[in-house]
Amino acid sequence: MKYEFPVTPCLNPKHKPDMNNLPFGVDMADYMVVIEYTEGRGWHSGRVVPYAPITLEPAACVFHYGQEMFEGLKAYKSVNNEVVLFRPDMNAKRANSTAERICLPYMDEEMFIEAVKAGTKANIDWIPDAPNSSLYIRPFIIATEPFLGVRLSKSYLFMIIFSPVGPYYKGGLAPTKIFVEDEYTRSCQGGTGYVKTAGNYAASLKAQEKAHQLGYSQVLWLDGVTRNYVEEIGTSNAFFVIDGEVITAPTNEGTILPGITRNSVLTLLKEWGIPASERRLTIQEVFDAHKEGRLNEVFASGTAAVISPVGELRWKDDVIQINGGSIGPIAQKLYDTITGIQLGKIEDKHGWVEKVCDL
Ligand SMILES: *Cc1c(COP(=O)(O)O)cnc(C)c1O
């Protein structure tokens, strides 16, 4: 191990919630990771400490100008009695891609992965056993220098917090109702849509609230320039199956968050010989395909829910039911395969699963 993360023992462990009935992202595990950054010194003082509030000056840069990045991944208990992570190297790479865009300091990807592992090990008692449950891991960096004025901060804090989570959707893979948002947008070329930075999510809340009020669980985002092209579903990547071809928005315009689940989905589809394309697709094409009986499935992909089928889409006043409102075969097979690999039930041919420790 290249990095050391000394552990300060937690003397007052928290009362654990009902680990068989966990909500998403509410309970925090006993330990967190902290690494500091000081200009001239770089990243230093990495450690694992009891989860606790932190003290920052009200003038800290992050509160005013939002210089922040975050990541999301999960630790699982595999059927081989190991604690494992899924493709943490991809999170480390994406963290640096976000850091580059938001002018946060670069971090060694090995440091990121070892910090995640150190915190996961400390929180081993917090990894749930129940099916479809896991320990959600949230690494993030904030700019901490106290000053007013828009410029780069000279100090940063990298932290990782851990939250035991149950299935994202209670009752399994129930298809969701999605509202096509044609007023607000989340991303445009030259912007920050391809990175995980706080401001993107603040900017998305209003559309999400609007969708909720109309009885929809999430929004389908359209492109920021023409409002014609489909981009993402909430905070997950969107897939459309038309005439047996799986289509998702391309990442090369810089408007799509390059999901790790998205990448896994595309890799598996290629292996299975299912035609998959990364290309622009208009919302009109989606609704036309439905009218012609050619829209087979719509689903979203992301770490939290893995695969989430869409049962209904509303675009302006047009409402369509997809696959009779039930999950389609491609979404089901992707869900079963990805979760199977994560849990060690299906052979990991790609080296996606990374062991943390034995149970
Ligand atoms: C995190 C995120 C995703 C999904 O990425 P995964 O790596 O698959 O979890 C998709 N879109 C947005 C906007 C996101 O923030």
Side-chain angles (χ1 to χ4, degrees):
M1 285 259 216
K2 195 162 147 195
Y3 296 92
E4 295 284 328
F5 296 92
V7 180
T8 303
C10 179
L11 299 178
N12 299 301
K14 295 188 208 192
H15 178 73
K16 287 216 179 50
D18 177 1
M19 297 291 266
N20 289 311
N21 197 11
L22 290 162
F24 197 93
V26 174
D27 302 290
M28 297 301 150
D30 278 329
Y31 291 93
M32 63 184 191
V33 180
V34 179
I35 311 176
E36 295 171 53
Y37 180 93
T38 317
E39 196 181 63
R41 196 172 163 197
W43 292 106
H44 64 90
S45 310
R47 56 200 187 266
V48 176
V49 295
Y51 180 91
I54 56 171
T55 304
L56 291 173
E57 292 214 25
C61 169
V62 66
F63 295 137
H64 308 275
Y65 312 112
Q67 201 190 357
E68 189 262 9
M69 83 100 211
F70 70 91
E71 268 302 323
L73 68 163
K74 285 173 169 176
Y76 310 84
K77 283 182 177 171
S78 78
V79 294
N80 317 311
N81 281 320
E82 292 177 348
V83 177
V84 298
L85 303 168
F86 187 68
R87 310 187 75 182
D89 53 313
M90 297 280 282
N91 295 95
K93 279 199 191 79
R94 192 170 62 193
N96 271 329
S97 158
T98 305
E100 194 273 335
R101 179 65 182 81
I102 305 298
C103 299
L104 296 166
Y106 173 87
M107 76 166 72
D108 182 2
E109 283 158 20
E110 230 176 297
M111 183 184 89
F112 178 101
I113 295 169
E114 287 188 12
V116 167
K117 287 184 176 175
T120 303
K121 257 190 226 166
N123 286 313
I124 196 162
D125 293 347
W126 287 84
I127 311 174
D129 291 312
N132 303 314
S133 301
S134 56
L135 186 65
Y136 185 81
I137 304 173
R138 168 54 55 83
F140 65 103
I141 300 175
I142 52 173
T144 52
E145 192 192 348
F147 70 91
L148 299 176
V150 180
R151 64 157 171 80
L152 298 193
S153 174
K154 292 185 170 66
S155 59
Y156 299 89
L157 207 52
F158 174 48
M159 304 183 71
I160 312 177
I161 56 173
F162 299 81
S163 174
V165 297
Y168 196 74
Y169 296 108
K170 299 264 179 255
L173 286 180
T176 54
K177 290 171 67 181
I178 302 293
F179 181 80
V180 181
E181 176 55 54
D182 63 356
E183 180 185 1
Y184 305 112
T185 61
R186 70 169 287 279
S187 183
C188 65
Q189 285 179 41
T192 58
Y194 68 99
V195 299
K196 280 193 182 297
T197 188
N200 287 346
Y201 304 86
S204 76
L205 292 171
K206 197 166 168 77
Q208 191 182 302
E209 275 310 291
K210 180 173 140 192
H212 286 173
Q213 271 160 23
L214 293 165
Y216 289 82
S217 62
Q218 261 307 344
V219 301
L220 169 61
W221 297 105
L222 300 177
D223 75 281
V225 177
T226 69
R227 314 281 202 283
N228 285 329
Y229 297 95
V230 297
E231 294 213 320
E232 299 201 51
I233 294 176
T235 56
S236 41
N237 294 112
F239 291 83
F240 300 83
V241 188
I242 299 179
D243 279 336
E245 178 198 19
V246 185
I247 306 158
T248 192
T251 54
N252 58 6
E253 317 241 336
T255 60
I256 303 293
L257 197 293
I260 295 162
T261 322
R262 173 186 183 279
N263 179 281
S264 308
V265 163
L266 290 171
T267 304
L268 290 171
L269 291 173
K270 256 171 228 148
E271 279 174 17
W272 295 340
I274 295 176
S277 318
E278 296 173 71
R279 63 174 169 89
R280 302 237 277 171
L281 173 71
T282 64
I283 186 68
Q284 188 69 58
E285 284 175 81
V286 173
F287 275 68
D288 287 350
H290 178 266
K291 284 191 183 78
E292 294 154 11
R294 300 185 295 113
L295 179 64
N296 315 128
E297 297 183 39
V298 178
F299 58 90
S301 77
T303 296
V306 188
I307 299 292
S308 169
V310 174
E312 179 178 319
L313 274 180
R314 172 171 162 189
W315 180 36
K316 302 183 194 293
D317 292 326
D318 217 348
V319 178
I320 59 176
Q321 305 292 328
I322 296 140
N323 195 36
S326 53
I327 182 165
I330 294 179
Q332 185 71 57
K333 187 172 179 189
L334 284 164
Y335 179 84
D336 293 343
T337 305
I338 294 171
T339 55
I341 294 171
Q342 289 168 338
L343 299 179
K345 292 178 185 164
I346 293 177
E347 189 198 347
D348 172 28
K349 290 185 222 154
H350 311 87
W352 284 344
V353 173
E354 170 105 4
K355 180 176 167 180
V356 176
C357 58
D358 289 312
L359 266 177

